[in-house]
Amino acid sequence: MDTPSLRQLDIFAQMVASGSIARCARDLGLSIDVVERDMAALEKRLGYRLFDYRAGEAQLTDAGRKTVRAMTLLSEKGQDWSEDAPAPPEQAPEAEAVIASPPPAPEPRPVRLVDLDPEPQDDRQQVMIAAPAPVFSHFQDALTAFEETSNDCVITLDLGVQVADEAGRAMMRGSADITYFYALAEPTAFPSRYAWSEQLSLYLGSDHPLAGLDLVQLSDLNDVDAVGLDPRSGLRRIVEQALEKAGLPQRAPILESDNLFDIMTAVREGAGYFAAFGPLARDFGRMPGIKRVPLATSLPQVEVRQAVRAAMADDPVVSTLAEYLCR
């Protein structure tokens, strides 16, 4: 649930090509308000700004340029950013308006991101970092500072990795030198180190009987249906593993979706509980009509871990960067 929707990425690509909100809206046949709204939602989902706006022109930030490069790599590898829907922005009363999708936009004119922000051809060492988008937001400033002081490398990003097996495959095929991923413990397949943890929480509609209790036991949820992410999502797997570890019986979700608005609506209407962590939990808990379940027992925390590709473990640039990002 940490990746953008294809609609938002289409608009982002056209923003890069057009260079301004007004021209992007004109080229796509949308209103300026719709473009602004979708770009605000995308930036909230990723956790960082993509553009600086000066005199009506939209200029990519450093993080925005890295996102262009990451999207180029994903398109070259055939990966799909549309597996998960974006989370809403932070404002509680207005958030529903942001994630409620307007009428479908006309098909945008083709834009190949690989042509939009080409990397200069030079002899600097290429270092690839793979990480979930919300994790990248934690160290983007440190990454920018490292690039500014290191003239012997250029860093690119892959924002398509979420969990340990995906990180392992990325390192095995040589497409990631440093990976960040979600896990409940250190994986046995390759060495990694702990970075930080995200608390897993459960959410119910405000009118659900359990939402009004001071404390809820896990056993109280045995007969409550679950609302889940799309089964293809790595986040779905890590959440289910955490709930199983906590002793909460696993039931087939009454709804499985990659659309956050559908999940939010189902939870608000009392269909069942939804489990989330990190920025998604933060945003979901601020939605009107939804309340975090006051559990008597804490659920397992989801770890964010860092791993370095074995072949690059002794590389001075990669090892220095890995240490720098873990400070």
Side-chain angles (χ1 to χ4, degrees), residues 223-237:
D223 296 325
V224 179
D225 288 318
V227 176
L229 302 174
D230 189 287
R232 298 169 296 176
S233 169
L235 298 186
R236 162 76 176 270
R237 284 184 283 138

Side-chain angles (χ1 to χ4, degrees), residues 101-213:
S101 298
E107 188 71 21
R109 58 188 177 90
V111 176
R112 294 185 68 247
L113 286 172
V114 69
D115 296 331
L116 300 181
D117 188 38
E119 283 294 296
Q121 298 299 314
D122 56 36
D123 296 326
R124 290 182 296 171
Q125 180 176 345
Q126 300 281 330
V127 179
M128 169 65 80
I129 299 178
V135 170
F136 168 54
S137 69
H138 281 262
F139 58 72
Q140 62 167 316
D141 291 339
L143 199 59
T144 299
F146 185 88
E147 282 191 304
E148 289 175 349
T149 58
S150 178
N151 297 320
D152 55 356
C153 75
V154 57
I155 300 168
T156 53
L157 293 172
D158 178 347
L159 304 181
V161 166
Q162 296 178 339
V163 291
D165 58 348
E166 296 169 346
R169 288 194 295 270
M171 290 188 292
M172 183 176 297
R173 63 177 175 254
S175 62
D177 299 313
I178 301 172
T179 64
Y180 283 82
F181 58 91
Y182 297 122
L184 296 182
E186 183 174 7
T188 59
F190 53 87
S192 64
R193 60 178 166 180
Y194 173 86
W196 68 86
S197 294
E198 306 277 10
Q199 180 61 54
L200 181 66
S201 299
L202 302 183
Y203 297 89
L204 284 168
S206 299
D207 294 333
H208 194 282
L210 293 181
L213 299 181

Side-chain angles (χ1 to χ4, degrees), residues 214-229:
D214 292 332
L215 285 177
V216 175
Q217 304 294 331
L218 285 177
S219 58
D220 294 332
L221 294 163
N222 289 348
D223 296 325
V224 179
D225 288 318
V227 176
L229 302 174

Side-chain angles (χ1 to χ4, degrees), residues 2-327:
D2 64 339
T3 53
S5 68
L6 279 178
R7 171 193 170 82
Q8 290 175 335
L9 294 179
D10 285 341
I11 295 179
F12 172 59
Q14 194 61 51
M15 276 285 293
V16 177
S18 301
S20 78
I21 291 178
R23 288 193 293 270
C24 177
R26 179 201 64 199
D27 293 342
L28 292 177
L30 300 173
S31 70
I32 290 177
D33 288 344
V34 167
V35 173
E36 288 178 336
R37 184 170 62 187
D38 271 25
M39 283 299 92
L42 177 58
E43 290 179 333
K44 286 293 183 181
R45 178 63 274 156
L46 294 177
Y48 49 84
R49 289 184 61 81
L50 294 168
F51 295 100
D52 286 327
Y53 299 97
R54 300 171 184 170
E57 299 297 306
Q59 299 180 5
L60 282 165
T61 63
D62 288 341
R65 290 181 179 275
K66 291 183 175 64
T67 302
V68 170
R69 298 169 197 162
M71 290 170 63
T72 299
L73 289 167
L74 287 175
S75 64
E76 290 172 350
K77 293 186 295 184
Q79 295 185 20
D80 185 0
W81 281 63
S82 65
E83 288 184 356
D84 298 297
E90 298 181 1
Q91 299 91 338
E94 296 81 12
E96 185 173 354
V98 174
I99 63 173
S101 298
E107 188 71 21
R109 58 188 177 90
V111 176
R112 294 185 68 247
L113 286 172
V114 69
D115 296 331
L116 300 181
D117 188 38
E119 283 294 296
Q121 298 299 314
D122 56 36
D123 296 326
R124 290 182 296 171
Q125 180 176 345
Q126 300 281 330
V127 179
M128 169 65 80
I129 299 178
V135 170
F136 168 54
S137 69
H138 281 262
F139 58 72
Q140 62 167 316
D141 291 339
L143 199 59
T144 299
F146 185 88
E147 282 191 304
E148 289 175 349
T149 58
S150 178
N151 297 320
D152 55 356
C153 75
V154 57
I155 300 168
T156 53
L157 293 172
D158 178 347
L159 304 181
V161 166
Q162 296 178 339
V163 291
D165 58 348
E166 296 169 346
R169 288 194 295 270
M171 290 188 292
M172 183 176 297
R173 63 177 175 254
S175 62
D177 299 313
I178 301 172
T179 64
Y180 283 82
F181 58 91
Y182 297 122
L184 296 182
E186 183 174 7
T188 59
F190 53 87
S192 64
R193 60 178 166 180
Y194 173 86
W196 68 86
S197 294
E198 306 277 10
Q199 180 61 54
L200 181 66
S201 299
L202 302 183
Y203 297 89
L204 284 168
S206 299
D207 294 333
H208 194 282
L210 293 181
L213 299 181
D214 292 332
L215 285 177
V216 175
Q217 304 294 331
L218 285 177
S219 58
D220 294 332
L221 294 163
N222 289 348
D223 296 325
V224 179
D225 288 318
V227 176
L229 302 174
D230 189 287
R232 298 169 296 176
S233 169
L235 298 186
R236 162 76 176 270
R237 284 184 283 138
I238 203 74
V239 165
E240 287 185 341
Q241 291 168 9
L243 295 180
E244 184 177 3
K245 182 178 180 180
L248 186 61
Q250 296 298 289
R251 307 174 62 182
I254 196 169
L255 171 68
E256 298 175 306
S257 177
D258 62 359
N259 188 312
L260 182 61
F261 182 75
D262 290 345
I263 290 176
M264 180 200 69
T265 301
V267 172
R268 179 184 290 164
E269 293 177 352
Y273 67 82
F274 178 65
F277 63 90
L280 174 59
R282 177 201 66 201
D283 293 338
F284 203 82
R286 292 174 177 175
M287 297 303 301
I290 292 175
K291 182 178 179 182
R292 185 174 65 86
V293 179
L295 292 173
T297 304
S298 295
L299 295 173
Q301 292 192 334
V302 177
E303 296 182 359
V304 176
R305 302 190 68 87
Q306 183 203 71
V308 177
R309 182 160 65 97
M312 304 299 290
D314 296 326
D315 182 272
V317 173
V318 172
S319 59
T320 298
L321 176 56
E323 290 293 335
Y324 185 80
L325 294 179
C326 271
R327 292 189 311 177

